[in-house]
Amino acid sequence: MTLAYQLDVSEVLRQLDARAEGLDTAEAERRLIANGYNELAQHKLDSWWTILWRQLTATMVVILLVAAIVSGFLGDVREAIAIFAIVIFNAALGLRQEYQAERAIAALKRLAVPTVRVRRDRQVAEISARELVRGDIVLLEAGNVVPADCRLLESFNLRTLEASLTGESQPVDKHARTLATTALPVGDRGNMAFMGTVVAYGRGVAAVTATGMATELGRIATAIQTTHRQLTPLQLRLEKLGKGLAVVILAIVAVIFGLGLGRGESVSDMFLTAVSLAVAAVPEGLPAMVTIALALGAQRMLERRALIRKLPAVETLGSVDVICSDKTGTLTENRMTVTSLSTITQQMDVTPQTRATVPQTRLVLKDAPDFALLLAGASLCNDAHLEPASDRSERAREVGDPTETALVVAATAWDLEKGELETWFPRIAELPFDSDRKLMTTVHALPPPDLNLSAAAMALEPWRLQVKDCQSVAFMKGAVDCAIEICDRAWVAGCCLPLDSALRRKILADSDRLASEGIRVLGVAFRPLKKRAHEIDTDALERQFAFVGTVGTVDPARVEVQTAIQLCRSAGIRPLMITGDHPLTALHIARKLGLSEGDRVLTGMELDRLSDSELARQTEQVAVYARVSPQNKLDIVRSLQQRGHVVAMTGDGVNDAPALKQAHIGVAMGITGTDVAKEAADMVLLDDNFATIVAATREGRVIYDNIRKFIKFTLTGNSGELWAIAIAPLLGMPLPLLPLQILWINLLGDGILAIALSVEPGERSVMNRPPYRASESIFGRGVGRTIVWVGLQLGLLLLTIAYAYWSHNRAEWQTMAFATLAFSRIALAQTMRSDRDSFFQLDPRSNLPLLGAAIATASLQFAVLYLSVLQHMFVTLPLSIEDLGLCLVVSTVPFWAIEGEKAFARYRLNSKA
Ligand code: ATP
């Protein structure tokens, strides 16, 4: 069989039944239905019965079920049935939660699939990589993850990293030539790009030859498909804690069991009590609860335009104390407009180009041909274009990078249409932009000397005369300081002069002046070449240029960012700006946004010279970093991390991936980010906005708080029960709570209440306090204290009320303890909604699920007390109004204790302030 790499381009297209202009949508849909989605066979989502089975087979549940069966055999069938019912109901509750969490995670995964640019219906469209079919024509560029196996139709310095497939660590050159008819190994198929490999450089056009499991990656993918669910750091900690607590609790339970037997309780009663207590008190469900809280939290973050790619990020976000953000698009709007044009001799301020200014400027161009060359160069050395408006009333659609579209818009306003320019000066080679060089260069063929240009382009005539003996011409644009390094001449009033140091200084000074006003300044230069297309060595291209002038663009700061930065400060988070832009432009924007700490800016070059210890010192003091390289970003993150900071770092380019991976939270741009950056990131900003990072951080804190509240609530109740049951025998009393009552309270009532606590909307003060340190114990900030002292208090209360009734031979003594426990936990859930605010300051409507859970639990408790069938089952007696009143009053004691503690804390805080 002949393979795609052995065929020439036209034959490949014929075999694929495709055209270079792309498939039409109807045909693509037909192929999609016939061949399925372009995805590797996924680990299937767990079905509901698998989850249910998992719930029912959890160790503790199995122990309980076995115990129920044993007790059934020992004679108490009624109790056994009741235990079964409670366990099943509890499992159903867990099933619902876990199912919801699974779906939320799956939805997030689907959203994280990259999009691809394809030619469909003779236009370039952006579609999800899942929807690619054989025969689709895809456009590849640096930063893309190749979405399927493809045969290249065109390649412009395309290089891919194939390490994931072949193990080769260096980028491999890719071309569109036909290869030998002999069979070649994957690594030698230079005209193919393979799914899962990464475009490291250049761009290309390719036809999809295989999708999904039919790709080379698909063939070896079975080994990498096990989507093993990883535990988050918090879950690991909780699992360890759960195990530790289990040992302690089991020991206590064993003692209770022994004491009970010693006091003559029946073996079957004591056995069931011990098991119920163990099942109810051992917090084995904590890690699962954390997954649910994180998954649902991630879903809420999505509503705020932050897509979580890795679940642990949700919990780490709460501890972030430094956010390193790039500038363009994140702090600013990435809506560039050209505001100034400068040649060596003239400067022109331009307002946003409207057609109205054209007649006047056309005159300028004719009289100042250097401006024409500047604009033509900026427009030709450029990958953006304008798509004509479909309607007269609409503006042309700008396609491409905003810096570049601004240049095309400006040139067009002076009647230098990019499409026309490209027909006269077709591109024959290029060196794409990258943020290390901060330059971009393209090479163009020259039109024959007798070709007539348009009226506006006639201004280029003097320049055309100068380069008429050349075969081609290179245009370069980029950061002025970098551009000037590769220039040795300057274009001054129609001729090339040597670029001496005085002229260099003048150009840099002019550019600095503009930069200090927040303007991004790009230099434009050209180089006549004596070489034809195939003789051009792109590696030796960027030298001996003639500097033409500069184009200044402005990019307004995002208005919402200023508030977000203030919020960061009050939340103990330091925002840093780390940009590839000019130091003065960066400082201007930083000041405007209130981000700068003093007037210091560190540049990439300065950073390179610092020792590790010096860097660590500087990163604590300087908030603005400019002209940084991706390596500098990595150094800054590492340095901050070494000082114990939890760092979020944004990035968009291919080279940002290492810094994104290194940061605790790598944040990629959803709109402008490359696939590579997105894959390396923990979170993707769907709107590229800094304010979204801050919103996600807030959400992370809320989720972490809620997990702590959940733990505090469950363990306080558990410890109360343990105290009561452990101390009762010492008072010579029988057990104050029966096994079924313990299970009822813990598995049913608490289950509902605790889960509702985990959806608390967040405290008022959540962004007015410093972040949790990553190493901080989950029992810190009073959680452990409350569990111990409120737990003990609850236990003593239950004992007191039980003892009082028991010692007066009142038959309802156990029911009193049972009811007090149930009501006190409802009350505890209410006060534990906030760590600081009083319950009376909270709006009950802000957590309706908790309100519902409280009403449901209370109603169920009343049913258990007053419905005869349930009375029979739970061995309760109907309480008189007085007894019930007493229960209700006593059950609020822990509530008031916590309210008092919070009031004291508020008082101390106010008096300090
Ligand atoms: P940030 O890092 O905040 O996103 P940035 O966009 O300025 O800022 P880079 O994309 O690394 O960062 O760009 C660095 C510099 O390279 C810019 O300041 C600009 O001078 C120049 N530059 C940016 N885009 C282009 C381009 N398409 N062609 C040529 N030069 C460019």
Side-chain angles (χ1 to χ4, degrees):
M1 192 181 71
T2 322
L3 295 165
Y5 64 90
Q6 298 164 332
L7 301 172
D8 71 15
V9 166
S10 56
E11 186 54 24
V12 171
L13 290 176
R14 203 184 59 75
Q15 286 206 355
L16 291 170
D17 193 13
R19 294 182 310 266
E21 308 84 76
L23 299 173
D24 55 46
T25 303
E27 175 59 22
E29 273 168 11
R30 252 196 309 281
R31 293 186 189 193
L32 190 63
I33 292 167
N35 301 320
Y37 284 112
N38 173 36
E39 58 194 4
L40 300 179
Q42 292 274 333
H43 161 82
K44 280 228 174 64
L45 274 186
D46 288 342
S47 57
W48 66 266
W49 55 87
T50 324
I51 303 177
L52 184 62
W53 180 244
R54 206 160 49 224
Q55 295 272 343
L56 288 175
T57 50
T59 329
M60 285 300 179
V61 174
V62 170
I63 295 176
L64 189 61
L65 290 177
V66 171
I69 293 169
V70 172
S71 93
F73 275 117
L74 290 178
D76 204 341
V77 179
R78 196 175 36 102
E79 196 159 37
I81 294 175
I83 293 179
F84 270 115
I86 292 185
V87 167
I88 302 279
F89 195 84
N90 185 54
L93 210 71
L95 164 72
R96 191 177 153 265
Q97 291 290 316
E98 217 183 298
Y99 192 71
Q100 221 180 340
E102 280 250 337
R103 303 289 121 166
I105 296 171
L108 292 176
K109 274 205 187 130
R110 266 199 305 280
L111 279 175
V113 174
T115 53
V116 197
R117 291 203 303 139
V118 291
R119 289 187 186 151
R120 287 263 176 101
D121 302 317
R122 296 176 181 271
Q123 276 183 346
V124 176
E126 202 153 303
I127 63 167
S128 162
R130 282 178 88 221
E131 289 160 22
L132 271 188
V133 293
R134 252 167 74 87
D136 258 326
I137 306 296
V138 294
L139 308 181
L140 299 173
E141 61 184 20
N144 285 160
V145 171
V146 177
D149 284 0
C150 331
R151 167 70 159 89
L152 286 159
L153 308 181
E154 289 173 51
S155 162
F156 300 94
N157 301 316
L158 189 75
R159 280 182 224 156
T160 61
L161 271 170
E162 298 189 338
S164 57
L165 210 57
T166 62
E168 169 60 58
S169 61
Q170 291 303 312
V172 185
D173 279 322
K174 293 287 167 179
H175 55 80
R177 299 188 298 278
T178 311
L179 287 171
T181 47
T182 50
L184 292 173
V186 172
D188 292 343
R189 299 180 193 170
N191 56 12
M192 298 285 297
F194 297 101
M195 182 183 207
T197 61
V198 168
V199 181
Y201 201 76
R203 62 189 179 92
V205 180
V208 174
T209 55
T211 58
M213 291 305 282
T215 60
E216 293 296 330
L217 186 64
R219 273 172 228 220
I220 57 162
T222 36
I224 52 171
Q225 274 167 52
T226 36
T227 41
H228 200 65
R229 200 172 299 152
Q230 261 189 340
L231 290 184
T232 71
L234 178 60
Q235 282 175 318
L236 286 172
R237 259 157 61 195
L238 287 178
E239 205 177 52
K240 237 167 78 189
L241 170 90
K243 284 193 181 133
L245 278 179
V247 173
V248 176
I249 291 168
L250 290 179
I252 298 177
V253 167
V255 172
I256 292 174
F257 184 73
L259 285 176
L261 287 188
R263 286 184 48 257
E265 302 266 358
S266 84
V267 178
S268 73
D269 272 3
M270 277 323 293
F271 172 63
L272 212 54
T273 305
V275 171
S276 308
L277 206 55
V279 170
V282 172
E284 58 153 11
L286 283 185
M289 182 273 151
V290 172
T291 311
I292 293 164
L294 296 181
L296 300 183
Q299 213 173 24
R300 279 205 303 277
M301 289 188 183
L302 188 61
E303 284 160 26
R304 295 179 167 240
R305 322 286 298 143
L307 170 65
I308 297 293
R309 294 192 72 250
K310 296 171 193 163
L311 213 49
V314 179
E315 82 187 34
T316 318
L317 268 167
S319 305
V320 164
D321 65 348
V322 180
I323 302 178
C324 302
S325 169
D326 49 17
K327 173 181 70 71
T328 312
T330 321
L331 299 172
T332 64
E333 289 186 6
N334 211 6
R335 229 175 1 95
M336 310 262 180
T337 319
V338 172
T339 54
S340 89
L341 298 175
S342 314
T343 61
I344 303 292
T345 51
Q346 275 178 293
Q347 204 230 313
M348 174 161 63
D349 287 331
V350 284
T351 40
Q353 299 77 28
T354 57
R355 282 270 150 195
T357 61
V358 170
Q360 170 208 348
T361 48
R362 201 179 281 155
L363 205 141
V364 175
L365 276 197
K366 192 161 72 54
D367 293 343
D370 294 358
F371 282 120
L373 182 59
L374 180 68
L375 285 167
S379 185
L380 281 166
C381 178
N382 194 314
D383 288 329
H385 66 274
L386 301 182
E387 258 171 26
S390 49
D391 188 312
R392 266 175 164 273
S393 57
E394 284 176 29
R395 284 179 43 188
R397 201 164 72 89
E398 297 166 13
V399 185
D401 171 62
T403 306
E404 302 205 325
T405 47
L407 303 178
V408 178
V409 167
T412 310
W414 273 272
D415 276 356
L416 292 171
E417 303 275 351
K418 181 163 194 239
E420 266 183 341
L421 286 170
E422 277 182 334
T423 50
W424 302 323
F425 303 94
R427 190 187 291 191
I428 51 178
E430 67 189 50
L431 260 173
F433 170 76
D434 78 49
S435 44
D436 275 314
R437 288 168 25 251
K438 301 183 174 51
L439 301 174
M440 166 172 177
T441 301
T442 51
V443 183
H444 302 261
L446 287 166
D450 52 347
L451 181 88
N452 279 334
L453 307 183
S454 67
M458 285 302 283
L460 292 172
E461 280 306 315
W463 170 76
R464 272 182 75 200
L465 274 177
Q466 291 267 336
V467 295
K468 70 177 187 320
D469 298 331
C470 299
Q471 297 295 338
S472 54
V473 63
F475 281 107
M476 175 270 286
K477 75 174 190 317
V480 178
D481 35 341
C482 303
I484 210 154
E485 290 293 315
I486 57 163
C487 292
D488 58 4
R489 282 161 291 166
W491 179 254
V492 185
C495 57
C496 277
L497 298 182
L499 185 61
D500 58 24
S501 52
L503 204 48
R504 258 174 219 277
R505 275 200 303 277
K506 176 187 175 315
I507 294 171
L508 288 174
D510 287 349
S511 137
D512 282 359
R513 189 176 43 76
L514 292 170
S516 64
E517 291 164 24
I519 293 174
R520 161 182 286 207
V521 193
L522 287 179
V524 177
F526 77 93
R527 177 182 171 195
L529 296 166
K530 297 267 185 251
K531 294 185 174 152
R532 289 173 210 279
H534 62 276
E535 300 162 342
I536 292 168
D537 171 11
T538 42
D539 289 340
L541 194 58
E542 285 183 340
R543 54 193 162 94
Q544 296 171 346
F545 272 84
F547 196 85
V548 179
T550 63
V551 185
T553 56
V554 287
D555 179 15
R558 286 182 186 263
V559 271
E560 64 278 28
V561 167
Q562 208 165 353
T563 328
I565 284 176
Q566 276 164 7
L567 203 58
C568 277
R569 297 217 189 282
S570 68
I573 301 172
R574 243 183 108 211
L576 304 185
M577 178 197 278
I578 302 188
T579 175
D581 216 335
H582 191 286
L584 294 173
T585 315
L587 189 62
H588 181 90
I589 301 282
R591 278 205 198 118
K592 210 163 173 175
L593 292 172
L595 183 144
S596 58
E597 298 166 6
D599 276 352
R600 289 197 52 207
V601 185
L602 271 179
T603 63
M605 266 184 1
E606 288 164 334
L607 287 172
D608 288 336
R609 286 197 294 266
L610 297 179
S611 66
D612 287 353
S613 58
E614 190 57 17
L615 177 67
R617 217 168 54 78
Q618 296 288 356
T619 47
E620 293 288 352
Q621 293 167 359
V622 180
V624 184
Y625 301 83
R627 285 286 187 250
V628 290
S629 65
Q631 177 62 39
N632 294 142
K633 281 192 174 184
L634 187 61
D635 294 342
I636 294 173
V637 176
R638 285 214 179 108
S639 167
L640 287 164
Q641 285 176 329
Q642 273 160 15
R643 304 212 28 143
H645 294 292
V646 178
V647 186
M649 160 73 86
T650 68
D652 48 12
V654 200
N655 305 343
D656 288 338
L660 293 181
K661 281 202 183 126
Q662 176 69 35
H664 292 98
I665 304 281
V667 185
M669 300 298 128
I671 303 171
T672 55
T674 54
D675 300 344
V676 179
K678 287 180 198 165
E679 289 222 336
D682 301 279
M683 177 166 99
V684 178
L685 300 181
L686 299 182
D687 56 2
D688 288 10
N689 191 339
F690 178 83
T692 304
I693 312 178
V694 182
T697 312
R698 181 187 182 281
E699 203 60 57
R701 289 185 176 199
V702 172
I703 291 165
Y704 198 75
D705 277 353
N706 288 351
I707 292 175
R708 289 171 69 251
K709 286 173 192 170
F710 178 98
I711 292 173
K712 185 158 77 171
F713 174 70
T714 10
L715 295 189
T716 306
N718 289 353
S719 80
E721 286 157 29
L722 278 174
W723 284 118
I725 293 176
I727 298 174
L730 304 179
L731 302 174
M733 245 198 313
L735 297 175
L737 293 165
L738 298 173
L740 214 51
Q741 296 174 343
I742 297 172
L743 288 177
W744 168 263
I745 298 261
N746 285 58
L747 299 187
L748 269 186
D750 283 1
I752 312 176
L753 286 168
I755 287 166
L757 259 188
S758 64
V759 295
E760 259 305 303
E763 310 234 359
R764 267 184 312 142
S765 60
V766 68
M767 290 302 264
N768 282 326
R769 55 166 158 82
Y772 292 113
R773 271 175 289 115
S775 55
E776 189 169 327
S777 158
I778 193 107
F779 293 113
R781 306 198 193 193
V783 173
R785 196 181 54 228
T786 306
I787 292 174
V788 174
W789 87 268
V790 180
L792 182 62
Q793 191 187 65
L794 178 62
L796 293 179
L797 271 179
L798 296 180
L799 280 173
T800 314
I801 204 158
Y803 191 81
Y805 275 63
W806 176 73
S807 56
H808 286 85
N809 289 330
R810 299 275 304 268
E812 55 278 77
W813 69 279
Q814 272 177 325
T815 308
M816 288 296 285
F818 179 39
T820 308
L821 176 61
F823 294 131
S824 67
R825 300 201 76 174
I826 297 174
L828 272 176
Q830 306 306 316
T831 179
M832 285 188 180
R833 286 187 61 190
S834 170
D835 288 339
R836 195 177 287 182
D837 292 338
S838 154
F839 163 75
F840 302 100
Q841 288 174 295
L842 302 172
D843 179 356
R845 290 165 306 177
S846 63
N847 188 347
L848 288 177
L850 184 63
L851 194 63
I855 295 172
T857 320
S859 316
L860 284 170
Q861 190 60 32
F862 278 114
V864 169
L865 293 180
Y866 294 103
L867 285 187
S868 64
V869 341
L870 294 177
Q871 284 169 353
H872 205 55
M873 203 170 264
F874 287 90
V875 200
T876 53
L877 293 171
L879 297 178
S880 67
I881 277 288
E882 296 81 35
D883 290 341
L884 182 66
L886 184 66
C887 272
L888 289 173
V889 171
V890 173
S891 67
T892 60
V893 173
F895 170 92
W896 291 114
I898 294 190
E899 282 295 312
E901 193 186 24
K902 288 195 285 185
F904 182 63
R906 283 196 303 273
Y907 166 77
R908 277 220 330 220
L909 204 76
N910 285 344
S911 51
K912 247 193 236 163

